[in-house]
Amino acid sequence: MTEPYILVLYYSRHGATAEMAKQIARGVEMTGMEARLRTVPAVSTECEAVAPSIPDAGALYATLEDLKNCTGLALGSPTRFGNMAAPLKYFLDGTSSLWLTGELVGKPAGVFTSTSSLHGGQESTLLSMLLPLLHHGMLVLGLPYSENALLETRGGGTPYGPSHHAGADGKRSLDEHEIALCRAFGQRLASTAQQLEAPRG
């Protein structure tokens, strides 16, 4: 049996969502729990396009086993017209076998996103990502306003989950509030998973 871990599963095209994933993983690890970073391959309109089985750089591609065996899930995507990116949706569309067996029921989960514009659909993207988690019976977590950075942020940050404003060129780095919220989210997810896993007397 594997040690408990939080799966930080994301798609990132320009690196901002990947950086958020790393900060969330750092928050998870601050609780002493393992964070497992995984990504998904891009999808193509060309039917013959095939991605290598191992990416050239960054996190490994996620498998259904990664998802099945996780203790909790952080799911991240850049915004695409107010919705999650197609590669992540494609991966989630292939999780019916886990839904049929109820493998994810009762596990804590939450979502995160990055946009190039400040009002570019962050909240609708986060909400769109929550829908499959609810269908899987997962326990949805957000960010409470007891996190001071949520009240002070001038960039990203929502009660639905961490977010980041990457700027029009996609190169704006995470600011101190966005980093704080990513780490707080990772800690909250891991500590909730630990409480749910604790033996009851």
Side-chain angles (χ1 to χ4, degrees), residues 24 74 110-112 141-143 162 180-190:
I24 289 167
V111 294
F112 59 101
L141 298 177
L143 280 167
L181 291 170
C182 285
R183 291 184 184 178
F185 178 69
Q187 285 180 289
R188 187 164 200 248
L189 193 53

Side-chain angles (χ1 to χ4, degrees), residues 95-164:
T95 62
S96 296
S97 61
L98 302 183
W99 176 79
L100 286 168
T101 54
E103 297 290 349
L104 302 179
V105 172
K107 295 181 180 184
V111 294
F112 59 101
T113 192
S114 178
T115 58
S116 59
S117 59
L118 191 54
H119 303 289
Q122 289 185 355
E123 293 180 349
S124 61
T125 298
L126 293 170
L127 291 169
S128 78
M129 291 164 55
L130 290 175
L131 297 177
L133 306 185
L134 290 166
H135 276 262
H136 273 290
M138 301 190 88
L139 304 176
V140 173
L141 298 177
L143 280 167
Y145 278 96
S146 56
E147 294 296 336
N148 288 335
L150 199 55
L151 297 166
E152 298 168 0
T153 183
R154 295 289 178 263
T158 81
Y160 310 108
S163 64
H164 167 60

Side-chain angles (χ1 to χ4, degrees), residues 24-47:
I24 289 167
R26 186 170 292 179
V28 168
E29 290 165 350
M30 289 167 76
T31 69
M33 186 175 262
E34 177 191 346
R36 186 172 293 183
L37 285 165
R38 292 291 185 268
T39 189
V40 294
V43 294
S44 173
T45 55
E46 295 180 31
C47 296

Side-chain angles (χ1 to χ4, degrees), residues 8-20:
V8 184
L9 173 60
Y10 67 93
Y11 174 71
S12 186
R13 184 146 180 216
H14 299 295
T17 309
E19 183 56 34
M20 292 184 76

